[in-house]
Amino acid sequence: MQTFLQFSLNGLGVGSIYALMSLSIVLIYKSTKVFNFATGQMMMVGAFICWSLIEWNVPMWVSLPLVLGASYLLGLVVERLVMRPLIGQPLIGAMLATLVLGELLHGLGMLSWGGWQRKFATPIFPLAKLEIGGAYLSGAFIGALIVSVIIFIVAAFLYQRTHIGLSMRATAESHMLAQSKGIRVHTIFALTWAVSAIVCSLAGIILSDVLALGITESAGVVYKAFPAILLGGLESILGALVGGLVIGLAENIAGGYISPLFAQIVPYIVLLIILVIRPEGIWGLKRIERI
Amino acid sequence: MLQLNNIEVVYSNVILVLTGVSLKVSDGAIITLLGANGAGKSTTLKSISGLLYTELGEVTDGSITFDGARIDHMKAEDIYRMGIVQVIEGRLVFEHLTAEENLRVAAQGKQPAANIKRNIEMVFEYFPRLKDLRRRTSGFLSGGEQQMMVIGSALMSMPKLILLDEPSLGLAPLLVMEIFEIIRRISKEEKVSMLLVEQNARAALDLAEYGYVMENGRIVLDGPSGSLKENEDIKEFYLGLSELGKEKSYKDVKHYKRRKRWLG
């Protein structure tokens, strides 16, 4: 029981990071119908900027806002330079553009920071580990859980309760109709990318404390978010949270009881099962079609 | 208030769809634009609302002025904020939003929350049925309810001019009468001008005070509704009446015998 509890706690901790990554992808997908394949690389860039600032002895409470500000700008720039020229073109073009963008960021990261792994000098969250029924939840995981919960509450509030969130949801349904209602579609897109980039960077920074901080390694983790998103539903914020946690749990429990190697493929087994039995995910939007 | 001056519209740089279209909408008036499919009615509306540009169309000649300002090369979002709202053909709604959210989202531009609330109440007053449906997902509303919602949402930004593109499309005749009556009330009580594009010429001419007839991207005839209704060609081709004012019989439908008097 105690081992099971330990695996579950680890699973929840890792899962909350997957959830953040999923949220970042879901936000963009909701507004623009583009699946952002560069999420992992954007995550890595955020984490490395943070690492560099800390190395230059900038205190954490200064560098974190700086990183988030930089991510916001990165989001705006990406939208303006890469995505906006592709508006009105087939979606496949925009998706391929995000793939290319990912590779570009990857290359720039390699040039700036080199390919070897780093570590933050001090943990990001100076929290003591927590004992629950003989199992331990590490400080990093506690921090990850707290940050995720806050971010998800903010995101849900933004989408459900504010006018700008309503405009975002409307834009997601039809760009043309949104424009006819006076919504500034370009502004909505830019804002979405910027917010998503912030979430991305946060995930990257937290991740570096738990797993590793490397150009390729940080970006690679994002593939775990894909099954999480499909499980929860591509358009659902709640789905991103639940999907992330479930994938984290499944991975850790299977890894603990069966084999750590098996853990690597568990998310993709889950992914295959979802695609077969419920392709739109648990809370994904069903197309409303009346015949 | 709105004036189209000899405009020419070209799609994707080659396809000429409108030539020399001029029309005028004065304050508080209901104007109708009649014509067969493909005559250029919707394109005319889109060139006013600015939605033309998302479809790779462009106003290449002439000018559109609204309250004295040139709007023919402005962005759709800015034209919306100036007070021109287009109700797109085919009652497009944000299907996954509720009815009330559909109204709320149309309140773009800087508006205090109290304003939005008041406008929603106003829409519910015109369309009482919407009030009971406010929490329903709009994709599951009936066609008539969706049309009411779409017209209602046009009121949310307190516009000066509403461009209505075929509000009667696919609705039962009784419902069309109901909706047209509400359009008349809205125009009178809120002092909103309307430019109405319709296939249902009879209903449109009853509602409007002045009408334009389009054919092949040109305006071929215009005049007060009363005189248009008396025009032989309008009667024949739009109202389906023969010269004697009777219903037409199949025997009389011989196009080579009766030609339009205008040059199409």
Side-chain angles (χ1 to χ4, degrees):
Chain A
M1 190 58 213
Q2 195 179 326
T3 37
F4 180 78
L5 194 62
Q6 185 60 58
F7 293 144
S8 307
L9 287 179
N10 288 351
L12 283 179
V14 180
S16 66
I17 303 176
Y18 295 165
L20 276 184
M21 296 190 289
S22 311
L23 177 67
S24 160
I25 295 174
V26 164
L27 287 180
I28 290 181
Y29 187 82
K30 267 177 90 82
S31 286
T32 66
K33 290 275 181 293
V34 170
F35 195 101
N36 179 16
F37 287 105
T39 307
Q41 283 77 16
M42 285 166 72
M43 222 160 71
M44 168 275 288
V45 169
F48 265 89
I49 293 176
C50 189
W51 177 83
S52 296
L53 285 172
I54 301 269
E55 287 294 294
W56 296 334
N57 290 322
V58 181
M60 193 65 191
W61 58 271
V62 180
S63 55
L64 198 59
L66 279 178
V67 174
L68 298 189
S71 319
Y72 187 86
L73 285 180
L74 176 69
L76 288 184
V77 168
V78 165
E79 194 276 335
R80 187 70 194 85
L81 294 185
V82 184
M83 303 318 295
R84 191 166 301 180
L86 293 171
I87 288 177
Q89 304 294 325
L91 274 179
I92 185 77
M95 298 222 194
L96 289 179
T98 66
L99 264 180
V100 175
L101 174 74
E103 289 306 312
L104 183 75
L105 289 177
H106 185 253
L108 287 176
M110 279 285 185
L111 285 173
S112 327
W113 289 290
W116 60 94
Q117 294 212 22
R118 312 290 169 76
K119 194 136 188 67
F120 277 93
T122 52
I124 315 257
F125 301 108
L127 298 168
K129 60 184 172 187
L130 192 69
E131 196 192 327
I132 304 168
Y136 288 96
L137 190 61
S138 73
F141 282 153
I142 297 173
L145 278 168
I146 293 173
V147 172
S148 312
V149 168
I150 294 174
I151 294 287
F152 271 91
I153 290 173
V154 171
F157 178 80
L158 176 75
Y159 266 83
Q160 295 301 328
R161 290 274 174 269
T162 67
H163 200 262
I164 190 95
L166 182 59
S167 303
M168 283 175 167
R169 280 190 289 154
T171 307
E173 286 203 29
S174 162
H175 301 167
M176 195 265 291
L177 186 56
Q179 204 178 21
S180 84
K181 302 277 183 209
I183 298 174
R184 296 188 193 279
V185 175
H186 293 312
T187 314
I188 296 285
F189 283 179
L191 206 62
T192 310
W193 273 87
V195 170
S196 165
I198 287 183
V199 176
C200 237
S201 292
L202 271 176
I205 294 169
I206 300 171
L207 188 70
S208 60
D209 225 12
V210 178
L211 276 171
L213 180 61
I215 299 290
T216 313
E217 290 79 359
S218 295
V221 186
V222 80
Y223 296 112
K224 302 283 178 58
F226 295 176
I229 294 167
L230 286 169
L231 175 63
L234 265 167
E235 290 96 348
S236 169
I237 291 177
L238 178 66
L241 178 63
V242 174
L245 293 179
V246 167
I247 295 295
L249 280 172
E251 190 187 47
N252 272 275
I253 292 170
Y257 282 106
I258 302 168
S259 126
L261 287 174
F262 185 65
Q264 297 292 318
I265 58 166
V266 167
Y268 307 109
I269 294 176
V270 176
L271 175 66
L272 275 176
I273 296 171
I274 305 158
L275 285 178
V276 171
I277 58 173
R278 200 177 161 89
E280 76 272 16
I282 304 174
W283 289 285
L285 287 180
K286 282 204 181 115
R287 278 183 60 201
I288 298 178
E289 197 163 344
R290 300 186 331 197
I291 303 170
Chain B
M1 166 162 88
L2 176 83
Q3 193 149 17
L4 269 68
N5 204 349
N6 225 1
I7 62 162
E8 180 181 275
V9 170
V10 174
Y11 276 117
S12 47
N13 291 328
V14 285
I15 308 161
L16 182 67
V17 281
L18 296 186
T19 44
V21 170
S22 302
L23 59 83
K24 217 173 99 182
V25 182
S26 45
D27 275 314
I30 302 183
I31 306 294
T32 185
L33 195 54
L34 304 173
N37 287 350
K41 305 178 303 282
S42 296
T43 302
T44 309
L45 292 195
K46 280 177 195 154
S47 58
I48 299 169
S49 67
L51 291 175
L52 191 66
Y53 292 91
T54 41
E55 296 180 353
L56 300 179
E58 206 195 342
V59 178
T60 48
D61 200 9
S63 66
I64 304 176
T65 53
F66 179 67
D67 282 346
R70 280 284 290 262
I71 57 166
D72 45 297
H73 280 86
M74 277 172 64
K75 280 193 201 151
E77 302 94 288
D78 297 324
I79 294 176
Y80 185 90
R81 281 166 176 70
M82 287 179 74
I84 301 181
V85 180
Q86 180 174 3
V87 175
I88 300 176
E89 181 182 4
R91 22 167 210 284
L92 298 180
V93 299
F94 297 114
E95 292 183 332
H96 293 286
L97 305 188
T98 65
E100 190 177 335
E101 284 173 333
N102 260 283
L103 297 180
R104 202 175 276 279
V105 79
Q108 292 292 325
K110 286 202 167 50
Q111 283 201 46
N115 237 346
I116 296 179
K117 213 171 189 171
R118 199 193 61 215
N119 289 345
I120 289 180
E121 287 308 317
M122 174 182 78
V123 173
F124 287 157
E125 211 173 285
Y126 283 114
F127 302 101
R129 210 183 307 173
L130 288 181
K131 191 162 192 171
D132 308 325
L133 304 167
R134 62 201 297 180
R135 307 238 175 276
R136 284 255 227 107
T137 306
S138 59
F140 295 121
L141 298 182
S142 77
E145 289 157 356
Q146 285 181 344
Q147 188 63 59
M148 292 177 184
M149 197 179 75
V150 166
I151 296 175
S153 77
L155 291 174
M156 289 301 294
S157 58
M158 300 200 282
K160 297 177 197 149
L161 170 66
I162 300 180
L163 312 171
L164 283 165
D165 202 346
E166 299 209 26
S168 72
L169 188 75
L171 299 183
L174 270 179
L175 198 58
V176 173
M177 277 170 63
E178 189 187 332
I179 285 183
F180 272 43
E181 194 43 52
I182 298 174
I183 291 176
R184 190 202 305 275
R185 261 186 66 205
I186 291 174
S187 165
K188 202 184 273 166
E189 290 169 23
E190 310 299 326
K191 309 217 173 350
V192 188
S193 312
M194 306 261 181
L195 181 54
L196 174 70
V197 159
E198 260 298 333
Q199 297 281 354
N200 189 340
R202 196 187 307 259
L205 285 175
D206 282 342
L207 181 66
E209 57 207 53
Y210 199 89
Y212 292 85
V213 180
M214 286 190 83
E215 203 161 272
N216 294 330
R218 264 182 282 182
I219 288 188
V220 289
L221 191 66
D222 69 293
S225 298
S227 73
L228 281 185
K229 267 189 270 184
E230 293 307 313
N231 183 297
E232 293 300 326
D233 294 316
I234 299 286
K235 272 192 196 166
E236 173 90 20
F237 294 103
Y238 289 96
L239 303 178
L241 296 171
S242 73
E243 281 169 50
L244 291 166
K246 293 185 302 194
E247 300 274 324
K248 252 201 302 196
S249 81
Y250 181 72
K251 199 175 75 184
D252 303 326
V253 188
K254 289 181 178 168
H255 292 288
Y256 52 88
K257 274 197 172 169
R258 177 80 176 81
R259 295 183 64 104
K260 290 173 198 165
R261 297 203 175 94
W262 65 68
L263 297 169

